[in-house]
Each structure stands twice: as structure tokens, then as C-alpha cells.
Amino acid sequence: MSKDTLRQELLDTRNRLPNETRRELSRLISKHLLSMLPTDTLQIGSYMALGSEVDLQWLHFEILASVHRLYIPRILSKTSMEMAALDHEEQVTAGAFGIATSLQKETIDFAALDWLIMPCSGFDQQGYRLGMGGGFYDRALEYCEPYAPLRIGVAFSAQQASFEPDPWDQPFDWIITEDGFIRR
Ligand code: ADP
Ligand code: MG
């Protein structure tokens, strides 16, 4: 099966989860992430959920109220994005592709993030990621060193699949589902 066909199947599976289930599982995933946070300050890259993606809003509120700093993607073109600081929930605005982004000017290099939390349409046992087919995260991480940032994928367990990664695919170090942690 091609990556495109599998991606569509996995998106269909995710879309079929009832809203209430997605909300509950998203909260569990947020809790798992929260329990991983150290006491020293982290620069945390995350994302604003679109459609049926795992929604980390609950985690974001906790981060905003903590010593840690939050950054979210801002799409710049069909191939690139940057990570913009988000210090207050009122600083959110609609961005490209209908994805919420930050109004704040301050950005951070991907390599300067401690954590990068990413959505996916699917993941495999080896930690490989299926995105939306844009390759945004693959390109952003191409020149980053291992574990800088720590690549964290979040997904519902129903999104686990088996596929052949492409040479440019950047794997996750950790995957968090409602069932807990998977370490590569
Ligand atoms: P996704 O990771 O979003 O599921 P793919 O891995 O299929 O999507 O990548 C989508 C496109 O992005 C591919 O056509 C690929 O050629 C391109 N791409 C990915 N990484 C890079 C990179 N590091 N440099 C240039 N193009 C890339
Ligand atoms: Mg890829």
C-alpha cells in the first residue's frame, strides 16, 4: 500500500473516533506529557490541533502557567514553517490552512527547542511518522542534531500502522498515546 493510501485510511480511522472519545484520549495524552515535564525550564514546540488531531489545549494551558515556554508553528510557504512564541492564549489567530497560530513576533530555531511535539496521521513501531504529506517536519528537522530537539509524536493508538519510511523521513524519539509512552 502506498503512503498516500495508508495516510488516507488512517485519517478516516481518526475522523471516525467520536468527538467525546477524542477529547478524553487527548486529555490522557496531555497528562502523560505533563508527567514528563522536568522542573527546569524547557523550550517546548507544540502545535494547534486541526480537525481530528490529538488536541493538546489542556497541556498548553498548563505550560503557559508554568516556567516552561511554548512555541507553535507558523506556516511561511508551501515548504517551510517557523516556531513562534505563544505566551498568552489571547495571542492566537487563524493562520494558513486554517491552522491557528501565534500573533507574537518572537521565534525560535528548531534546534534550540528542547521538545518538539508533533501531530501525525500515523506512526510505526520504529517511531516513523506519517504526516499530512507536506514534509514540513522532515525539512525542519533535517539539520537538527539527535535529541535536539527531543522528537515527540502524539497519536491515538488506533493510528499505529506498518509502512516503509522514505529516506528523508525523520523518526520520533518518543510516541505518546492514550496507553502511555513508546520509546524508539
Ligand atoms: P509527511 O512527512 O508530511 O508525511 P512525506 O514524508 O511524504 O510527507 O514528504 C512529503 C514531501 O516532502 C516529499 O515529496 C518529499 O520529497 C518532501 N521532503 C521531505 N523532506 C524533505 C527534505 N528534507 N528536503 C526536501 N524535500 C523534502
Ligand atoms: Mg515524512
Side-chain angles (χ1 to χ4, degrees):
M1 188 189 302
S2 76
K3 248 176 149 183
D4 281 342
T5 311
L6 178 61
R7 186 182 280 117
Q8 199 49 59
E9 278 194 6
L10 289 163
L11 287 174
D12 289 344
T13 301
R14 198 178 70 189
N15 290 336
R16 275 196 302 269
L17 291 173
N19 288 341
E20 185 56 32
T21 305
R22 281 205 303 266
R23 236 192 323 272
E24 274 169 29
L25 301 185
S26 290
R27 194 170 164 110
L28 278 173
I29 292 166
S30 285
K31 278 192 174 175
H32 289 315
L33 284 161
L34 195 62
S35 74
M36 287 169 61
L37 277 172
T39 49
D40 48 322
T41 303
L42 292 189
Q43 310 295 322
I44 301 174
S46 184
Y47 67 93
M48 303 297 278
L50 183 70
S52 61
E53 286 176 346
V54 172
D55 189 341
L56 298 176
Q57 197 172 31
W58 188 76
L59 174 73
H60 294 170
F61 286 137
E62 296 289 332
I63 293 174
L64 291 179
S66 75
V67 297
H68 309 293
R69 289 208 69 200
L70 182 63
Y71 301 84
I72 58 174
R74 179 154 55 215
I75 308 276
L76 299 174
S77 72
K78 279 194 169 156
T79 53
S80 71
M81 62 180 175
E82 61 185 5
M83 296 301 284
L86 183 70
D87 294 311
H88 303 283
E89 49 189 291
E90 318 86 69
Q91 294 295 312
V92 170
T93 185
F97 304 125
I99 306 170
T101 189
S102 175
L103 285 166
Q104 293 178 232
K105 289 208 167 55
E106 183 193 346
T107 61
I108 189 170
D109 288 342
F110 280 89
L113 290 168
D114 296 297
W115 285 10
L116 178 59
I117 304 170
M118 293 167 267
C120 62
S121 55
F123 65 94
D124 76 1
Q125 193 101 50
Q126 274 71 49
Y128 278 97
R129 171 179 187 270
L130 268 183
M132 291 300 287
F136 281 88
Y137 285 103
D138 291 326
R139 270 185 297 265
L141 291 168
E142 188 178 2
Y143 300 106
C144 291
E145 299 291 332
Y147 303 110
L150 183 72
R151 285 97 158 142
I152 302 173
V154 292
F156 304 116
S157 59
Q159 291 168 251
Q160 183 159 2
S162 159
F163 57 92
E164 201 54 52
D166 286 311
W168 58 80
D169 279 333
Q170 298 279 335
F172 296 131
D173 298 310
W174 290 78
I175 297 161
I176 318 294
T177 72
E178 67 274 19
D179 297 330
F181 306 64
I182 301 168
R183 191 177 192 164
R184 194 158 71 91

